[in-house]
Amino acid sequence: SDNPAAPEATPPVLGFTAPPRVEPNLAGRGAVVSATAGPRVSRATAATLLTATGGSAAFTARFDVQPWIVRYRTPGVDGALVTASGAVYLPVAASGALPVLVYQHGTVYDRNAVPSNLASQEGQVFGTAYGTDGFAAVLPDYVGLGTSDAPY
């Protein structure tokens, strides 16, 4: 291309041509827009959840859990910053550095069936299970789901 700033398309492979590569805008990436505490989950409630789901075979209810709904800035598909959402579940009164676990939810067709909706069963079960066992559990929604301002 004559324009050195213009992205170049990937050469065809098996008859398909990939779109030009977009360089994301990384300035401001990861900036927290908001963090709102959800209702605390007691250790006893977490133990009941683990027993009911069969999770007690893998997890131990050691802590109360504090879920947070988090909105943050991240590059969208075109490289421009968008606001995305997710949930973070933290063990209450845990000491020292926490192991971090990132849980990627399955495909959903309802933009509200995501971890940032604390009534979402998948997010609630996995966030509580890891949080009560001492992990900082990070459960991002996919860009365009939850309260994201981007299309899905």
Side-chain angles (χ1 to χ4, degrees), residues 7-151:
E8 294 185 27
T10 304
V13 176
L14 300 175
F16 296 98
T17 301
R21 180 177 169 185
V22 176
E23 292 297 328
N25 174 6
L26 299 180
R29 178 183 189 173
V32 175
V33 175
S34 65
T36 305
R40 183 180 284 194
V41 179
S42 71
R43 181 177 171 214
T45 299
T48 300
L49 182 137
L50 291 175
T51 300
T53 61
S56 57
F59 300 95
T60 302
R62 301 184 309 143
F63 301 98
D64 287 359
V65 180
Q66 179 61 63
W68 292 83
I69 301 168
V70 179
R71 298 182 72 229
Y72 59 96
R73 302 290 285 164
T74 191
V77 295
D78 63 357
L81 288 181
V82 297
T83 299
S85 56
V88 176
Y89 285 73
L90 298 173
V92 175
S95 60
L98 298 175
V100 177
L101 173 111
V102 178
Y103 175 81
Q104 301 291 333
H105 66 80
T107 300
V108 297
Y109 299 100
D110 176 351
R111 76 177 293 132
N112 297 311
V114 291
S116 67
N117 175 358
L118 298 181
S120 155
Q121 283 189 327
E122 184 177 12
Q124 188 179 64
V125 167
F126 285 99
T128 299
Y130 282 103
T132 196
D133 207 19
F135 288 81
V138 179
L139 295 83
D141 303 336
Y142 298 136
V143 172
L145 297 177
T147 60
S148 175
D149 61 7

